[in-house]
Amino acid sequence: MKSLIIPEGNYTPYICFDTDTNVFEVAGESYSEYTLEFFEPILSWLSDYLAQNSQSLTFNFRMNYFNTSTSRRFFEILKMLEDFYHQQNSELVVHWYAKSNDLDMIEAGEDYKDDFVTLPFHISVQKID
């Protein structure tokens, strides 16, 4: 499959699912009121890709802000990744990046990590000078 790349929009995050490197990333801000319309094709693409992929996969979240509606879509993505991890027995790692002064983003990562305890999920807090 071809890589899925969607530039960051006014209310939507940057999406880069690179099938050459198998490093997937969601970054920026997501606060659209219509997250289902934005994420539905992304979720569909990811589902199709995971169904045929047998390579290791790295999934990075580098968010500055996201709304409650987006959090539901992230939950769906993580559920897909968890299913893939257990069914395909492939290497997978999820990285949640947050700035040290962004307690909300750190807490969100911790909540997702608690929800998906069997998923290799790492929170990386980046020091701010």
Side-chain angles (χ1 to χ4, degrees):
M1 285 179 69
K2 285 180 61 177
S3 296
L4 177 66
I5 300 173
I6 301 172
E8 186 172 8
N10 290 335
Y11 310 105
T12 56
Y14 170 67
I15 305 292
C16 181
F17 293 175
D18 188 333
T19 57
D20 292 330
T21 63
N22 261 12
V23 175
F24 291 12
E25 184 161 296
V26 179
E29 297 181 350
S30 180
Y31 52 95
S32 169
E33 293 179 33
Y34 308 104
T35 58
L36 184 59
E37 290 152 355
F38 177 76
F39 279 99
E40 193 169 38
I42 295 165
L43 295 168
S44 178
W45 185 96
L46 183 59
S47 177
D48 291 346
Y49 184 75
L50 293 176
Q52 58 88 40
N53 178 57
S54 60
Q55 303 295 319
S56 64
L57 180 67
T58 299
F59 204 103
N60 299 321
F61 288 93
R62 297 179 188 273
M63 300 302 297
N64 298 321
Y65 174 81
F66 62 93
N67 62 8
T68 304
S69 183
T70 299
S71 69
R72 175 69 185 140
R73 306 303 155 223
F74 287 174
F75 190 92
E76 292 174 43
I77 289 170
L78 290 166
K79 179 65 178 139
M80 280 186 200
L81 295 175
E82 181 181 59
D83 291 346
F84 167 77
Y85 179 66
H86 292 293
Q87 293 169 1
Q88 297 296 328
N89 200 23
S90 295
E91 275 191 53
L92 169 71
V93 64
V94 176
H95 293 282
W96 184 271
Y97 293 94
K99 295 175 183 163
S100 61
N101 64 346
D102 192 344
L103 300 180
D104 290 336
M105 202 58 59
I106 294 168
E107 183 178 327
E110 290 169 348
D111 288 345
Y112 285 125
K113 186 174 182 173
D114 289 344
D115 289 337
F116 296 94
V117 295
T118 62
L119 196 58
F121 193 108
H122 304 283
I123 300 172
S124 298
V125 178
Q126 300 166 327
K127 208 172 194 181
I128 303 299
D129 293 327

